[in-house]
């Protein structure tokens, strides 16, 4: 037997020995990217190593992180989050990189390598692995994610999840129902005796007779009464349970009349002028045989409600204003020009394109028509009936604008919110259909509420001291339409709201009889979305309201509003606006009988001047009463593009230390300083034996100060801070990332599309 000696190893390792001491080999922990979830929110899919594009020009500022889809939002969590920008509102329910699923208009997947792209809908298949995801949002953002390093299958799954959950099959599947149910039970301890009194809610909801009674009393409508004929929606499914009708009409008459109106919608009282004239809205009579008889009875009742028994004028809006399809088409065009098309053309051509979209033309048309109604009510002392086929679209816009022009109460923050609640929410505007929250019927989609907000901004732009709120407030309000956590913009009628919330209460074990405003609040509870500090951005430092302090010609003045009875046709517009004039023949939307279109450019008297021409000439030739009647100038040279809404995400349009925010910044500081001084004067301690009178060293507490920008100190630089831009309080960074890809198979698709990437256009190209 031979013994074999073990061979010596011939390989010598030059690497250092493996470190066995664990304590000496601890690596820094990997940051775990977890989303901030609301009560009831769950993650349904996610993918790591995703790149969010910040700029279309280069990728050096792009962020790496995790892309998550929940049952509420699309959320991106950066691996290394950049410092919080001062130029942004801090939303309490949404992060900087979050997008509510209801805000998504289109989910587009792209594969550059294969030259493929597809607009994803619900329950669709995706036969290629996407290299990019582009989210087109209803608030005009374009968010772009790249999957360079992400797992292909994971990327495909998260894209499909986003598409699926952004197309809910039923209204009850919107996240607001789950969230508010959890929130109600988690906040039980904060409620007194198990319920929250509505007293903390300042904005009236108009779902109970007392709200209408107060409005009748406020406007002096003594010949009108609250009617409960529609309790439990016994007459019309689209009217509120309580409406205001002439005293001379009995409930039995109203029930009989209702059968002849579209959707059984009997006429609705909107507002009363101090002179006794009333503004009423009405659907069309569907029975032509009974039409004359029914209308005569209604007209007679309205005439009786007038102290002078004045005549009644009817305005048929369907015949003289653009329809909902025209408005939708114009909005799509102006959005395309402002957001999708690159800023390559000259300023003249760009402005011409904006004009050709007809959006501003329609804004002017609604402002003009509202001014015509104002003339009849203010100048001729007659009641006006606004008539539309269903009384749920154009009537909402015009009735709201007329009341804004005539009643300064509606130009305060609470007043404006009550106006929207009364003329839009309770009157049955089809928010569910017009916003297309379920993405089921694109033919019914139309931005009527957005058009109204644009008209309000035009008035605010011309009369900046007459509104208590700011354009930032209007923009935030428009964005809130796409956050499905509040009841205001989710439903198409009061009955639909009541039915869904009743089912919701049963499913969530909410006690029967609990106030719906408590367990599913309206959007007016801004403290749910923004801090007290951020809500001060809603306050207009120039507002001349009841008891509001204002600086004019270097003096601090307090304007106190006189009794409502005193504002009349003798209170006129500003001299600076008068010089611009209204030019004859410039109207592009031809409307028969338009009163303002006949005004002469110099407002001078003419030989054959009509009463309406004299009324408007008079108004524009005298100084304005900020708490009186307002009539906006509405010719092309006076109506501008609402830049904060349409261009806030566009990097090319963002001006550092520029735009109207610079004036707002200085005015806010000045008003804050004035209010501090006023507070110190109120706290001043008078002389007493042995001491010297001293002012209180501080002003009001910081949480009670009305202005977002606080009074400056002597050490502050004279120029506005760097974070102030014309997009403030929003930022284009990462929110409008157009693809700048040239020479690729899909460059034509990405750069040459002339519409908002419509599903119909892409249908033939999908794979």
């Amino acid at each position: 037997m031979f013994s074999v000696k073990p061979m010596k190893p011939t390989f010598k390792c030059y690497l250092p020995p493996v470190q066995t001491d664990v304590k000496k080999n601890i690596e820094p922990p990997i940051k775990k990217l977890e989303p901030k979830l609301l009560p009831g929110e769950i993650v349904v899919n996610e993918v790591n190593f995703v790149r969010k594009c910040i700029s279309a020009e280069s990728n050096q500022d792009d962020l790496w992180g995790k892309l998550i889809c929940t049952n509420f939002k699309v959320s991106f969590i950066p691996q290394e989050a950049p410092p919080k920008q001062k130029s942004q509102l801090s939303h309490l329910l949404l992060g900087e990189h979050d997008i509510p699923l209801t805000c998504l208009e289109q989910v587009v997947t792209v594969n550059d390598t294969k030259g493929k792209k597809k607009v994803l809908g619900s329950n669709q298949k995706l036969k290629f692995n996407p290299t990019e995801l582009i989210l087109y949002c209803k608030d005009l953002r374009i968010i772009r994610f790249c999957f360079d390093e992400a797992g292909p299958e994971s990327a495909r799954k998260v894209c499909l999840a986003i598409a699926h959950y952004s197309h809910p099959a039923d209204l009850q599947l919107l996240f607001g129902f789950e969230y508010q149910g959890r929130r109600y039970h988690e906040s039980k301890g904060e409620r007194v005796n198990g319920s929250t009194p509505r007293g903390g809610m300042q904005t009236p909801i108009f779902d109970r007779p007392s709200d209408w009674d107060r409005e009748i009393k406020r406007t002096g409508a003594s010949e009108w009464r609250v009617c409960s004929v529609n309790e439990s929606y016994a007459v019309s499914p689209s009217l509120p349970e309580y409406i205001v009708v002439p005293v001379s009409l009995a409930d039995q008459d109203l029930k009989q009349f209702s059968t002849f109106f579209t959707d059984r919608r009997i006429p609705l009282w909107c507002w009363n002028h101090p002179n006794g004239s009333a503004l009423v809205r009405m659907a069309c009579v569907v029975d032509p045989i009974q039409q004359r008889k029914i209308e005569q009875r209604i007209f007679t009742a309205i005439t009786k409600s007038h102290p002078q028994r004045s005549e009644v004028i009817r305005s048929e809006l369907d015949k003289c204003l653009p329809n909902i399809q025209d408005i939708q088409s114009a909005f799509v065009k102006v959005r395309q020009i402002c957001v999708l098309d690159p800023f390559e053309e000259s300023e003249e051509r760009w402005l011409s394109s904006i004009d050709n979209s007809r959006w501003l033309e329609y804004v002017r048309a609604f402002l003009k028509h509202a001014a015509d109604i104002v003339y009849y009510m203010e100048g001729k002392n007659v009641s006006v009936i606004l008539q539309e086929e269903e009384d749920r679209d154009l009537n909402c816009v015009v009735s709201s604008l007329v009341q804004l022009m005539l009643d300064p109460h509606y130009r305060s923050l609470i007043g404006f919110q009550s106006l929207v609640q009364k003329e839009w929410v309770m009157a049955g505007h089809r928010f569910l259909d017009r916003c297309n929250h379920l993405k089921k019927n694109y033919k019914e989609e139309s931005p009527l509420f957005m058009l109204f907000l644009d008209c309000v901004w035009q008035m605010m732009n011309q009369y900046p001291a007459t509104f208590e709120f700011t354009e930032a407030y209007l923009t935030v309000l428009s964005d809130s339409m796409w956050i499905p956590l509040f009841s205001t913009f989710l439903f198409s009628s009061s009955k639909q709201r009541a039915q869904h919330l009743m089912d919701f209460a049963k499913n969530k074990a909410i006690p029967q009889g609990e106030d719906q405003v408590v367990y599913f609040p309206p959007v007016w509870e801004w403290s749910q979305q923004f801090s007290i500090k951020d809500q001060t951005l809603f306050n207009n430092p120039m507002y001349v309201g009841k008891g509001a302090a204002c600086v004019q010609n270097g003096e601090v003045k307090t304007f106190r509003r006189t009794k409502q009875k005193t504002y009349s046709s003798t209170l006129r517009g500003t001299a600076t606006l008068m010089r611009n004039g209204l030019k004859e023949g410039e109207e592009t939307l031809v409307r028969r009988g338009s009163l303002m279109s006949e005004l002469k450019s110099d407002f001078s008297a003419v030989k054959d001047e009509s009463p309406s021409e004299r009324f408007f000439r008079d108004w524009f030739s005298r100084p304005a009463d900020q708490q009186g009647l307002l009539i906006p100038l509405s010719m092309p040279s006076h109506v501008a593009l609402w830049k904060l809404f349409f261009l806030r995400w566009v990097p090319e349009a963002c001006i550092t230390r520029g735009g109207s925010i610079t004036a707002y910044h200085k005015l806010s500081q000045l008003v804050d300083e004035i209010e501090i001084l006023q507070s110190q004067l109120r706290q001043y301690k008078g002389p007493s034996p042995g001491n010297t009178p001293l002012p209180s060293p501080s002003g009001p507490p910081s949480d009670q100060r009305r202005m977002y920008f606080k009074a400056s100190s002597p050490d502050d630089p004279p120029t506005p801070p760097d974070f102030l831009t014309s997009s403030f309080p929003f930022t284009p960074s990462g929110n409008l990332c157009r693809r700048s890809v040239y020479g690729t198979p899909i460059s034509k698709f990405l750069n040459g599309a002339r519409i908002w990437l419509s599903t119909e256009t892409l249908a033939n190209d999908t794979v």
Side-chain angles (χ1 to χ4, degrees):
M1 297 288 295
F2 296 94
S3 61
V4 180
K5 295 181 179 180
M7 295 180 64
K8 293 182 179 181
T10 57
F11 175 77
K12 183 178 179 179
C13 180
Y14 291 92
L15 294 174
V18 175
Q19 177 60 260
T20 56
D21 188 350
V22 178
K23 292 182 180 179
K24 295 180 181 179
N25 195 34
I26 296 178
E27 294 184 0
I30 298 175
K31 179 184 175 184
K32 196 171 183 181
L33 305 181
E34 295 294 342
K36 292 181 180 179
L37 302 177
L38 297 176
E41 187 177 7
I42 57 173
V43 174
V44 295
N45 219 304
E46 60 184 41
V47 57
N48 284 300
F49 310 115
V50 175
R51 177 165 58 91
K52 180 182 180 181
C53 301
I54 300 301
S55 169
E57 303 304 319
S58 68
N59 59 7
Q60 62 181 10
D61 296 323
D62 291 355
L63 299 176
W64 288 87
K66 179 191 284 189
L67 182 62
I68 294 173
C69 174
T70 76
N71 55 340
F72 168 48
K73 63 179 181 274
V74 176
S75 185
F76 178 77
I77 308 171
Q79 181 70 50
E80 296 180 4
K84 181 82 177 76
Q85 298 188 39
K86 292 183 180 180
S87 60
Q88 285 183 276
L89 277 168
S90 295
H91 204 287
L92 300 179
L93 304 176
L94 291 164
E96 183 182 350
H97 302 282
D98 292 348
I99 313 156
L101 292 168
T102 42
C103 188
L104 294 180
E105 180 158 3
Q106 287 187 342
V107 179
V108 180
T109 51
V110 176
N111 186 303
D112 265 333
T113 309
K114 298 182 178 180
K116 295 180 178 179
K117 72 278 177 183
K118 185 171 185 177
V119 178
L120 291 179
S122 181
N123 295 319
Q124 286 190 344
K125 293 182 179 180
L126 185 59
K127 296 181 180 179
F128 60 85
N129 291 325
T131 58
E132 289 189 21
L133 170 68
I134 308 174
L135 302 177
Y136 292 86
C137 305
K138 292 186 177 183
D139 61 5
L140 308 191
R141 285 182 291 172
I142 302 175
I143 315 292
R144 182 172 156 230
F145 300 101
C146 295
F147 303 121
D148 315 67
E149 306 296 331
E153 186 63 19
S154 298
R156 190 173 66 86
K157 285 181 177 179
V158 82
C159 291
L160 290 170
I162 291 170
H164 176 73
Y165 281 88
S166 63
H167 290 73
D170 185 76
L171 185 60
Q172 291 274 355
L173 294 176
L174 290 175
F175 176 67
F177 290 91
E178 183 65 29
Y179 168 71
Q180 294 296 359
R182 296 288 187 96
R183 177 183 159 274
Y184 173 84
H185 288 292
E186 290 178 7
S187 62
K188 270 185 179 179
E190 302 171 12
R191 293 192 291 275
V192 181
N193 297 325
S195 181
T196 302
R198 196 184 285 195
M201 184 77 190
Q202 291 183 297
T203 302
I205 303 300
F206 293 100
D207 61 347
R208 49 182 61 180
S210 57
D211 290 342
W212 291 104
D213 277 327
R214 278 190 292 271
E215 191 69 1
I216 288 173
K217 185 177 180 181
R218 189 188 69 81
T219 59
S222 58
E223 295 299 314
W224 297 79
R225 66 180 178 91
V226 181
C227 171
S228 57
V229 71
N230 199 41
E231 266 189 341
S232 302
Y233 308 99
V235 172
S236 173
S238 61
L239 286 178
E241 287 190 280
Y242 306 100
I243 59 175
V244 177
V245 297
V247 169
S248 60
L249 282 179
D251 287 4
Q252 194 58 39
D253 293 332
L254 293 168
K255 286 181 181 179
Q256 181 185 349
F257 296 161
S258 68
T259 58
F260 300 106
F261 285 97
T262 304
D263 202 28
R264 299 172 64 93
R265 287 179 65 94
I266 50 183
L268 287 174
W269 173 87
C270 301
W271 183 79
N272 242 59
H273 194 287
N275 64 25
S277 58
L279 181 66
V280 181
R281 52 191 290 177
M282 186 173 81
C284 288
V285 178
V286 292
D287 187 344
I289 298 175
Q290 297 290 331
Q291 181 178 359
R292 184 177 181 84
K293 176 185 174 183
I294 298 300
E295 288 180 349
Q296 190 59 48
R297 290 286 301 275
I298 298 295
F299 283 31
T300 301
I302 296 173
T303 298
K304 286 181 180 179
S305 71
H306 196 292
Q308 282 84 47
R309 301 295 191 264
S310 294
E311 61 178 323
V312 177
I313 298 292
R314 172 169 50 188
S315 176
E316 297 176 276
L317 303 190
D318 289 322
K319 296 181 179 180
C320 56
L321 288 172
N323 59 39
I324 62 169
Q325 289 81 19
D326 293 335
I327 294 167
Q328 170 70 358
S329 174
F331 183 75
V332 168
K333 290 175 183 175
V334 76
R335 178 180 60 184
Q336 170 77 26
I337 296 162
C338 292
V339 179
L340 278 180
D341 291 346
F343 277 45
E344 294 177 340
E345 301 180 7
S346 65
E347 182 181 4
E348 291 80 8
R349 291 186 63 185
W350 190 83
L351 292 172
S352 177
S353 299
I354 293 290
D355 192 51
N356 291 336
S357 73
R358 306 193 76 180
W359 176 259
L360 294 181
E361 178 185 334
Y362 294 160
V363 169
R364 295 199 310 273
F366 278 90
L367 288 171
K368 284 181 179 181
H369 197 82
D372 289 353
I373 305 303
V374 166
Y375 160 68
Y376 282 113
M377 296 187 70
E378 174 88 7
K380 295 193 72 176
N381 191 14
V382 299
S383 296
V384 177
I385 294 177
L386 303 176
Q387 189 168 40
E388 182 191 10
E389 183 179 357
E390 292 189 349
D391 178 36
R392 302 174 73 178
D393 290 310
L394 307 183
N395 272 1
C396 298
V397 183
V398 176
S399 65
S400 301
L401 290 176
V402 170
Q403 292 171 73
L404 272 175
M405 293 178 190
L406 285 167
D407 192 342
H409 167 69
Y410 294 126
R411 302 196 286 266
S412 68
L413 181 62
I414 297 299
F416 181 78
Q417 293 179 169
S418 71
L419 179 69
V420 173
Q421 189 69 30
K422 177 168 67 84
E423 296 299 326
W424 292 80
V425 180
M426 299 311 291
H429 179 63
R430 301 175 185 271
F431 278 111
L432 181 62
D433 300 324
R434 299 296 177 249
C435 296
N436 199 14
H437 287 313
L438 302 183
K439 301 179 177 67
K440 286 184 176 179
N441 193 344
Y442 289 90
K443 291 181 180 178
E444 293 292 318
E445 188 173 354
S446 185
L448 281 154
F449 189 67
M450 183 60 232
L451 177 80
F452 165 64
L453 294 182
D454 200 329
C455 290
V456 176
W457 178 82
Q458 302 293 339
M459 293 177 65
M460 184 186 294
N461 191 42
Q462 294 182 24
Y463 303 100
T466 59
F467 290 84
E468 186 179 16
F469 46 89
T470 61
E471 65 172 329
Y473 166 80
L474 292 180
T475 311
V476 166
L477 181 58
S478 73
D479 290 345
S480 297
M481 283 194 290
W482 318 119
I483 302 176
L485 305 181
F486 310 99
S487 62
T488 308
F489 302 120
L490 281 188
F491 307 99
S492 290
S493 68
S494 298
K495 182 179 180 180
Q496 186 186 54
R497 178 181 300 100
Q499 287 178 334
H500 277 281
L501 295 190
M502 195 180 300
D503 295 340
F504 160 72
K506 289 179 183 177
N507 295 335
K508 299 300 179 184
I510 294 172
Q512 190 175 5
E514 177 66 280
D515 191 347
Q516 292 181 349
V517 171
V518 171
Y519 63 77
F520 210 121
V523 74
W524 316 126
E525 291 194 15
W526 292 109
S527 58
Q528 290 200 31
Q529 295 192 63
F530 301 104
S531 66
I532 293 174
K533 160 75 172 173
D534 280 349
Q535 287 180 63
T536 58
L537 274 171
F538 298 168
N539 298 331
N540 177 11
M542 292 184 285
Y543 177 57
V544 180
K546 186 176 180 180
C550 185
V551 179
Q552 212 175 51
N553 298 327
E555 297 181 12
V556 180
K557 296 183 179 180
T558 299
F559 292 83
R560 298 200 178 276
R561 187 182 148 198
T562 55
K563 288 183 180 180
Q564 231 177 5
K565 296 279 186 184
T566 61
Y567 64 85
S568 66
S569 59
T570 59
L571 306 173
R572 308 305 176 203
T574 60
T576 53
L577 294 176
M578 181 198 71
R579 287 195 295 269
N580 292 326
L582 293 174
K583 299 179 182 177
E584 187 179 24
E586 284 194 76
E587 167 147 32
T588 52
L589 185 71
V590 179
R591 294 166 48 245
R592 184 178 299 173
S594 174
L595 304 176
M596 288 189 69
S597 62
E598 301 169 5
L599 292 180
K600 302 299 181 267
S601 60
D602 58 358
F603 296 105
S604 58
V606 294
K607 185 176 180 180
D608 300 321
E609 188 176 43
S610 69
S612 63
E613 289 174 324
R614 191 180 309 115
F615 172 82
F616 288 114
R617 177 178 58 79
D618 248 9
W619 198 92
F620 286 109
S621 65
R622 299 187 183 183
D625 173 14
Q626 305 288 6
Q627 281 293 302
L629 171 66
L630 282 190
I631 300 178
L633 291 157
S634 53
M635 294 311 289
S637 57
H638 305 124
V639 175
L641 183 73
W642 183 9
K643 296 184 181 65
L644 185 63
F645 177 80
F646 286 104
L647 301 177
R648 57 182 158 154
W649 312 122
V650 181
E652 298 93 333
C654 184
I655 307 167
T656 304
R657 295 179 181 176
S660 60
I661 189 61
T662 54
Y664 178 84
H665 171 252
K666 287 296 183 185
L667 284 166
S668 298
Q669 288 183 319
L670 182 59
V671 170
D672 188 56
E673 187 172 356
I674 290 169
E675 291 180 349
I676 290 174
L677 292 172
Q678 288 176 330
S679 177
Q680 290 174 345
L681 286 172
R682 283 192 296 268
Q683 298 172 24
Y684 186 81
K685 299 175 182 177
S688 61
N691 73 343
T692 305
L694 291 171
S696 178
S698 62
S702 58
D703 61 347
Q704 294 178 15
R705 289 161 73 174
R706 294 190 313 113
M707 294 296 110
Y708 184 82
F709 296 107
K710 303 301 185 274
S712 58
S713 68
D715 299 329
D716 291 339
T719 56
D722 290 337
F723 65 82
L724 277 189
T725 71
S726 55
S727 295
F728 183 89
F730 310 96
T731 176
S733 179
N735 287 318
L736 186 68
C737 199
R738 306 188 194 94
R739 296 190 87 229
S740 56
V741 182
Y742 299 95
T744 64
I746 59 169
S747 60
K748 182 178 180 181
F749 158 72
L750 292 165
N751 298 314
R754 304 311 301 172
I755 61 170
W756 183 260
L757 293 180
S758 76
T759 307
E760 291 78 12
T761 301
L762 299 178
N764 297 328
D765 294 326
T766 56
V767 178

